[in-house]
Amino acid sequence: MTAGVRVPGVEGRAGKFPGPSLIPALTAIQDRLGWLPREELEELARETRRPRYEIEGLVSFYPHFRTSPPAPVALHVCHDLPCFLRGGEERLGELRERYGADADVELVEVSCLGRCDTAPAVAVNEQPAPASDADELVAAARLPAPAASATAPAGPGRSEPWPNDPYPAGSGVAQRYATLRALLAGDLDADALVGVLKDSGLRGMGGAGFPTGQKWGLVLAAQEGTKYAICNADESEPGTFKDRQILADQPHLVLEGLLLGMAVVGAEQGWVFLRHEYGPEEHVLRAEIDALRAAGVVGPDACGSGRRLELDVFVSPGGYILGEETALLECMEGHRGEPRNKPPFPGNHGLHGRPTLINSVETFADVPVIVQRGPAWWRDQGVGESVGWKFFAVSGHVERPGVYCVPMGTTVGALIEQAGGVSDGRAVGAVQPGGASSNFIGPDQLDIPLDFGTAAAAGTMLGSGALVVLAEGTDLLAAATNVLRFFRNESCGKCVPCRVGSTKAHAMLEGRSDLDATERARIAELEQAMRKTSICGLGQVALGPVVSVLGLERRQT
């Protein structure tokens, strides 16, 4: 942006405090003490010459920050849809009966922990685990020496690479990052790489599905000067945990894709923006970055090219809304994570007002293999007209919840079969094919190919790649109300339609097994108002699952 040129649409940012962000400093205090004492906040204000009300505004917005001393044991229990479907409510009741009056245990119902494959899920002092392990972890947490589980490795990776990994199993930094080395050595041209991505048909795998090559080309062509690149690893939607698995198994591909994006668009600094519940995956990422730095792949002379490429991890202070890319930018700049009005878009006016490339974990992880094997190879991996491979997180009423990598265009029914079919031999009652944001589909729609266009044509969406299966006989309205509660709780509150609409709708639906015609009409009106007037996608989709369930009920009666 030329100095003095006004960028339309950024008026609302006038008067916001400039950086650097205080969030890493607040996180460091809490990591050290377990909470944020008043004296520490006053000292931070003095050291940084920032007003206390700015700091208090941050602390009050982000759910990860505490302003009172924690109990010795923090027992967080997920209450969202995948856990709800696998006996989460009953397990929560048992834990509340056991620990509700225990002064040493702080039991809190929380939104999705990203462990839907082991649902119902808990976290004890930020160590994630199945709810069946809660008693053992609580007992261990009572011991004087705290476990260092939150920073422990994510566990052993797969013995065989996923289909999108071009590198042999067991290879290290010296064998990997071949595409990045070729680009930095001049053997590969930036424009040519963008062309490969465009020809491949790769689209953003975080939910929006924007063409990846087009996005990279836009940031490449943007104004000269400082640019940034960010990997959005803040998946926080119920049922969504595929990126967590990719980070654990393929940190090299995620980071190589991010570094390629940086090198192509001209960014020297990149970050992985990681949700704070992913402590084990943070350990894996930081270890990989340390290895890259030691090998000279990143740093002031990346791969001996004379170019500077720096990587870091920015840990989210909590909140589903930060998965929205402009709310993420607000957080990184040190503000409350509220979405910005668009335009301008991050590709032209992103972090600190500079052009910023933002892609999801899966999108970046797919780039190296596409560049190495070519766009035609990638297109051929799909089924029919679909292109490439797609990671899906499958949870709910299936025999084998987990992450599956299948050809794009695989049908809903085929993916359910890969996950072992519906648990206990039951029939399918309904499916959310794209995470909590997506509309439910019925058992008569299992032949829908999982792709952006085909999902949309069926009245739902591919979304975050999270397929949640509900067995026949499940109370679908209760399930949809559970999803609505998540969106109500996670609304940032910036816009009235989302904040008030989600609250009003949940009050109407909570505990209901059926609605009369007048109530259904009111829900439909609320959904339309929220979809048309909310600032970001959260409010726009919050009531969609409920309306879709009401539609399924009409079709089945």
Side-chain angles (χ1 to χ4, degrees):
M1 179 178 66
T2 306
V5 176
R6 178 177 172 274
V7 178
V10 300
E11 297 85 354
R13 300 184 44 70
K16 287 197 173 182
F17 293 100
S21 171
L22 296 180
I23 289 174
L26 292 168
T27 300
I29 294 171
Q30 183 152 303
D31 287 345
R32 175 165 51 89
L33 301 174
W35 65 297
L36 300 172
R38 180 183 180 88
E39 297 78 15
E40 292 282 343
L41 299 183
E42 290 175 346
E43 180 63 23
L44 179 63
R46 284 192 295 269
E47 289 179 354
T48 59
R49 295 180 178 273
R50 309 281 273 276
R52 274 294 303 278
Y53 67 83
E54 178 195 359
I55 296 175
E56 293 293 347
L58 295 175
V59 172
S60 64
F61 182 85
Y62 292 108
H64 184 51
F65 293 139
R66 296 186 57 101
T67 55
S68 60
V73 182
L75 173 57
H76 290 177
V77 186
C78 178
H79 62 194
D80 287 329
L81 183 60
C83 292
F84 169 82
L85 294 175
R86 298 183 74 89
E89 293 292 324
E90 294 82 0
R91 187 58 176 157
L92 174 61
E94 294 170 3
L95 293 172
R96 193 174 294 284
E97 182 176 347
R98 187 170 302 135
Y99 299 112
D102 192 326
D104 287 342
V105 179
E106 180 186 55
L107 191 154
V108 183
E109 292 185 49
V110 296
S111 290
C112 186
L113 293 166
R115 309 285 164 175
C116 315
D117 48 339
T118 58
V122 301
V124 178
N125 289 354
E126 299 194 4
Q127 179 178 356
S132 57
D133 295 345
D135 294 335
E136 179 183 347
L137 291 174
V138 168
R142 293 183 193 271
L143 299 176
S149 55
T151 56
R158 287 165 54 91
S159 57
E160 293 296 324
W162 291 97
N164 68 323
D165 193 340
Y167 301 111
S171 56
V173 171
Q175 296 79 36
R176 293 167 172 168
Y177 299 90
T179 310
L180 176 67
R181 290 187 172 95
L183 179 63
L184 294 178
D187 299 332
L188 183 63
D189 179 71
D191 289 322
L193 191 151
V194 170
V196 167
L197 293 181
K198 289 180 177 179
D199 292 344
S200 72
L202 178 67
R203 297 172 67 172
M205 299 296 189
F210 191 83
T212 304
Q214 184 178 344
K215 177 182 285 190
W216 287 35
L218 290 171
V219 183
L220 172 61
Q223 54 180 302
E224 294 183 359
T226 302
K227 297 180 182 180
Y228 300 108
I230 301 168
C231 174
N232 186 347
D234 193 57
E235 63 171 1
S236 306
E237 194 168 278
T240 307
F241 53 95
K242 66 177 177 63
D243 285 354
R244 187 203 80 210
Q245 195 69 50
I246 294 170
L247 290 168
D249 294 341
Q250 302 182 327
H252 56 288
L253 294 185
V254 178
L255 295 182
E256 183 174 19
L258 174 57
L259 287 164
L260 285 168
M262 293 166 60
V264 164
V265 305
E268 293 186 348
Q269 179 67 56
W271 291 268
V272 178
F273 187 96
L274 185 69
R275 66 177 298 192
H276 77 267
E277 292 92 346
Y278 283 1
E281 290 71 32
E282 180 189 353
H283 178 98
V284 172
L285 278 172
R286 291 195 185 278
E288 184 74 10
I289 292 172
D290 288 345
L292 292 178
R293 194 170 289 118
V297 175
V298 299
D301 184 25
C303 297
S305 64
R307 297 185 60 176
R308 184 179 191 87
L309 296 177
E310 298 287 356
L311 289 178
D312 202 356
V313 178
F314 190 106
V315 179
S316 164
Y320 166 70
I321 192 62
L322 300 185
E324 199 281 333
E325 61 182 11
T326 62
L328 179 155
L329 294 175
E330 288 290 297
C331 176
M332 291 188 68
E333 290 185 9
H335 307 137
R336 295 161 69 93
E338 298 173 342
R340 301 173 181 175
N341 291 324
K342 300 177 185 177
F345 294 93
N348 290 314
H349 192 88
L351 187 66
H352 305 305
R354 303 301 308 172
T356 304
L357 177 67
I358 307 177
N359 277 129
S360 71
V361 167
E362 185 180 355
T363 307
F364 277 128
D366 286 337
V367 171
V369 72
I370 291 173
V371 178
Q372 287 191 33
R373 297 183 181 172
W377 176 86
W378 179 256
R379 291 196 301 269
D380 289 345
Q381 304 313 302
V383 175
E385 299 298 316
S386 301
V387 302
W389 294 94
K390 181 75 185 81
F391 283 83
F392 285 94
V394 184
S395 63
H397 292 145
V398 292
E399 289 288 349
R400 295 189 298 272
V403 175
Y404 295 85
C405 185
V406 299
M408 186 77 90
T410 298
T411 66
V412 173
L415 183 55
I416 293 173
E417 287 305 309
Q418 280 210 29
V422 183
S423 55
D424 301 324
R426 294 172 289 179
V428 173
V431 178
Q432 263 194 315
S437 301
S438 63
N439 292 342
F440 287 85
I441 59 174
D444 58 336
Q445 296 174 286
L446 301 184
D447 59 347
I448 294 172
L450 287 162
D451 202 345
F452 295 99
T454 50
T460 185
M461 62 180 174
L462 192 67
S464 58
L467 190 136
V468 183
V469 180
L470 288 71
E472 188 176 53
T474 303
D475 185 335
L476 298 185
L477 186 57
T481 303
N482 180 287
V483 173
L484 173 61
R485 179 183 63 181
F486 169 80
F487 288 122
R488 180 203 64 180
N489 292 349
E490 295 296 330
S491 172
C492 76
K494 180 178 181 178
C495 66
V496 172
C498 176
R499 182 181 72 245
V500 176
S502 60
T503 300
K504 184 177 182 65
H506 187 266
M508 292 173 58
L509 293 166
E510 188 175 19
R512 300 293 301 276
S513 59
D514 195 12
L515 302 176
D516 61 31
T518 300
E519 291 169 326
R520 287 170 179 259
R522 289 179 64 194
I523 289 293
E525 290 173 355
L526 267 175
E527 188 277 333
Q528 185 179 56
M530 292 175 65
R531 173 166 41 85
K532 291 185 174 181
T533 61
S534 294
I535 291 175
C536 82
L538 190 157
Q540 293 164 12
V541 303
L543 261 177
V546 171
V547 172
S548 68
V549 160
L550 296 177
L552 287 179
E553 291 177 346
R554 283 197 300 270
R555 283 167 45 195
Q556 294 170 3
T557 56

